[in-house]
Amino acid sequence: EDQVTQSPEALRLQEGESSSLNCSYTVSGLRGLFWYRQDPGKGPEFLFTLYSAGEEKEKERLKATLTKKESFLHITAPKPEDSATYLCAVQAGGSGGGADGLTFGKGTHLIIQP
Amino acid sequence: DTGVSQDPRHKITKRGQNVTFRCDPISEHNRLYWYRQTLGQGPEFLTYFQNEAQLEKSRLLSDRFSAERPKGSFSTLEIQRTEQGDSAMYLCASRKSGPRDREQFFGPGTRLTVL
């Protein structure tokens, strides 16, 4: 069964304090790894797709990287508006979330204090 | 460009009642997905459609749940004889069907509360 584990569950940072969120995964044939941001009471907002180990994507203060077992979301000099829950998801070739459905982790709740 | 829309945004019902939710995907997206999310958890996959064909159902989708996408555009998710355990956020997502267009775009969700 496909599994996604995110750590830490919660993270509180000062504005400008860089850090990284971890997403460890176990899947049968990774077809894609996805990062989403979710604000309270809203649907997930797409951030990045990573397809193969060694791939990196960047957007503003965020950078996502991928290895064969995990992905990191690096946040550089965060601002209070970066506060949200960050979700990691995988699309696998086997069972679990279905052939096309995503399997999500529980997310990392990030708080950036001014 | 409008994103994925869902209606209603909130629904409160009594146990045993039937409820129906609607999802309108992004117009050029032919794949449509339903997920359920409870507090503190990530979304859980329920089912998906390619055009009007329902291609995959999760083990989470009990017999009380049914989804349709009759014309390959909007979709409905019906829950019959609701139970308190059905209380959750129901999310819809859509995407194109290309091999390098795998990212799914989510709607705002329908928050269901079963009393």
Side-chain angles (χ1 to χ4, degrees):
Chain A
E1 186 174 325
D2 305 325
Q3 286 192 325
V4 178
T5 304
Q6 293 189 245
S7 63
E9 290 185 5
L11 182 62
R12 187 182 298 263
L13 300 172
Q14 293 294 123
E15 183 173 1
E17 181 184 0
S18 302
S19 189
S20 297
L21 313 182
N22 178 264
C23 170
S24 298
Y25 63 91
T26 305
V27 297
S28 51
L30 181 71
R31 293 200 283 170
L33 184 140
F34 308 86
W35 283 98
Y36 288 86
R37 168 193 171 127
Q38 187 171 31
D39 293 303
K42 297 188 177 181
E45 175 188 346
F46 170 73
L47 293 174
F48 302 109
T49 306
L50 300 167
Y51 290 106
S52 56
E55 192 173 358
E56 299 183 352
K57 294 276 181 72
E58 276 190 80
K59 179 181 177 181
E60 296 180 353
R61 295 178 293 280
L62 300 176
K63 179 180 177 180
T65 61
L66 180 65
T67 72
K68 288 186 178 180
K69 293 183 178 181
E70 58 191 351
S71 177
F72 291 94
L73 185 65
H74 307 278
I75 303 177
T76 302
K79 299 181 178 182
E81 54 261 42
D82 295 322
S83 298
T85 295
Y86 290 85
L87 295 165
C88 173
V90 297
Q91 186 183 48
S95 62
D100 217 52
L102 300 180
T103 300
F104 280 84
K106 293 184 178 182
T108 293
H109 182 51
L110 178 65
I111 297 173
I112 309 298
Q113 293 179 313
Chain B
D1 173 41
T2 57
V4 177
S5 61
Q6 293 187 245
D7 184 70
R9 295 293 309 279
H10 303 274
K11 179 70 176 179
I12 300 174
T13 192
K14 293 182 179 179
R15 190 171 52 135
Q17 297 295 304
N18 298 346
V19 294
T20 300
F21 310 139
R22 175 178 170 130
C23 171
D24 287 87
I26 295 171
S27 58
E28 65 268 26
H29 288 184
N30 62 351
R31 293 198 180 188
L32 186 149
Y33 305 78
W34 286 100
Y35 291 82
R36 180 175 68 187
Q37 186 177 25
T38 53
L39 200 62
Q41 303 295 315
E44 296 174 296
F45 169 75
L46 294 178
T47 188
Y48 91 95
F49 294 83
Q50 177 161 309
N51 299 313
E52 66 275 9
Q54 189 172 16
L55 297 185
E56 190 79 23
K57 293 183 187 180
S58 162
R59 291 185 293 272
L60 295 174
L61 206 67
S62 79
D63 292 342
R64 297 183 297 104
F65 287 67
S66 62
E68 293 183 342
R69 194 182 182 198
K71 297 183 179 179
S73 56
F74 72 91
S75 175
T76 58
L77 177 68
E78 181 183 17
I79 308 175
Q80 296 182 327
R81 304 181 303 281
T82 53
E83 302 173 355
Q84 287 186 326
D86 296 331
S87 295
M89 174 79 88
Y90 289 83
L91 293 162
C92 176
S94 70
R95 76 168 179 96
K96 298 177 183 179
S97 59
R100 298 297 280 192
D101 294 305
R102 296 192 178 276
E103 50 271 7
Q104 297 177 18
F105 295 89
F106 284 81
T110 294
R111 168 76 63 190
L112 173 66
T113 302
V114 182
L115 302 177

